[in-house]
Amino acid sequence: MRLWLERAGDGYRLRDAATEELVRDEDERIHVVKVAGVSFRGDELQDEAFSPGRRLALVAEPDNEHDPHAIAICDAEQRRQAGYVPAELARELHAEDWQAVALREFFEDGKRSGLRVLLAPRDAWIGTPRA
């Protein structure tokens, strides 16, 4: 799979690099998720590392006391955490098999209040954001 990120509103939409067709969020080859738990990390979420188009790290948390299937969504250097992959999806995924890119952001009172993230298979090619 080869995907281009293409600027759209407060983030990016996806385009298939081979066919130039738009790739819908519901495409079965990928997951576009609303990051869970962002309300607990409001200050960290403001960091530019979570801006749309930025690569992110998926970090399994098997010792998480609330959910041993938890997968944290962090900045690429794993210094800040935006939140988690939604629990129902995290149970199905292995973090090491997927890659993540910040896709769209949402604002409230001038501050980033939410984030949608693209989860794509580790071997997928994700191209540099297009204007």
Side-chain angles (χ1 to χ4, degrees):
M1 173 186 318
R2 295 172 48 88
L3 300 170
W4 280 110
L5 298 180
E6 185 174 82
R7 182 57 86 176
D10 286 332
Y12 293 92
R13 62 183 173 199
L14 302 168
R15 194 168 289 277
D16 186 297
T19 66
E20 290 291 321
E21 297 289 325
L22 286 176
V23 176
R24 298 169 44 98
D25 289 358
E26 300 80 21
D27 189 296
E28 62 188 30
R29 301 170 295 172
I30 61 169
H31 300 283
V32 175
V33 300
K34 180 179 177 183
V35 178
V38 294
S39 62
F40 298 104
R41 293 177 175 78
D43 289 340
E44 291 185 54
L45 190 62
Q46 303 316 306
D47 194 278
E48 288 301 309
F50 297 113
S51 296
R54 293 292 189 87
R55 303 242 176 214
L56 304 173
L58 298 174
V59 181
E61 293 186 350
D63 297 327
N64 183 303
E65 66 181 89
H66 302 289
D67 182 358
H69 302 287
I71 300 174
I73 299 175
C74 301
D75 68 326
E77 290 78 30
Q78 298 182 30
R79 288 182 276 177
R80 294 176 181 79
Q81 181 180 351
Y84 288 92
V85 171
E88 62 277 0
L89 180 59
R91 286 183 192 92
E92 301 173 16
L93 301 181
H94 293 98
E96 64 275 3
D97 294 337
W98 295 83
Q99 59 180 309
V101 176
L103 204 57
R104 295 183 203 103
E105 59 191 346
F106 301 91
F107 292 92
E108 186 174 307
D109 298 324
K111 294 177 79 173
R112 190 178 294 131
S113 60
L115 190 64
R116 291 223 194 285
V117 171
L118 164 66
L119 304 179
R122 176 71 55 199
D123 62 352
W125 178 84
I126 300 173
T128 306
R130 293 169 70 172

